[in-house]
Amino acid sequence: MATTDAASGKRRPRPLSPHLGIYKLTMTMAMSILHRISGGALYIGVLLLAWFLIAASTDAATFGVFSAFIGSIIGRLVLFGFTWALFHHLVGGIRHFIWDSGYGMDAPMRDQLAWATLISGLALTLIAWSIGYAVR
């Protein structure tokens, strides 16, 4: 009777799964990570929006606290980051919509869409802030 490895007590070496040390970071991987980060930032940004709505609906003193925070350097950086997350996540969603329609999955177009996502998210953020400061 033939013995198997399990019956003889010998253990086969387990297959090694690929780990982060063997992967080369590609543009699409970086955009996937940034898309997840921007989604998390949007989640936190909704708390900022809720704070604004609550402060606006209570009294002038409460709204003054919110206004002081948003008017500070840190507040403006948070608001800029929220704006970038909004536009980056929007453009990343459009990129995924293009992929879902069956286009842009080839090697050169895949990276071009990833770069377009990064650049257009930042460009839209800068345009929105420029318009905001222009009409202020």
Side-chain angles (χ1 to χ4, degrees), residues 14-135:
R14 295 185 63 173
L16 295 177
S17 296
H19 50 83
L20 293 177
I22 66 169
Y23 285 116
K24 179 185 167 207
L25 183 68
T26 63
M27 193 60 187
T28 53
M29 290 168 66
M31 288 301 101
S32 176
I33 293 166
L34 279 177
H35 190 75
R36 292 167 197 267
I37 290 171
S38 66
L42 289 176
Y43 183 78
I44 294 181
V46 168
L47 297 176
L48 185 68
L49 178 62
W51 183 22
F52 165 72
L53 292 173
I54 292 168
S57 67
T58 53
D59 59 358
T62 307
F63 190 74
V65 171
F66 175 80
S67 293
F69 172 73
I70 285 297
S72 71
I73 296 295
I74 292 176
R76 289 182 190 228
L77 284 174
V78 167
L79 196 57
F80 185 84
F82 178 68
T83 309
W84 170 82
L86 183 67
F87 283 123
H88 179 79
H89 206 75
L90 171 74
V91 177
I94 293 170
R95 179 173 59 110
H96 280 271
F97 182 73
I98 292 170
W99 284 353
D100 289 343
S101 66
Y103 298 104
M105 295 299 288
D106 297 331
M109 183 60 92
R110 190 175 54 230
D111 288 336
Q112 290 169 356
L113 284 173
W115 278 106
T117 300
L118 184 64
I119 293 167
S120 60
L122 187 58
L124 287 170
T125 302
L126 293 175
I127 289 168
W129 275 70
S130 298
I131 291 171
Y133 275 111
V135 298

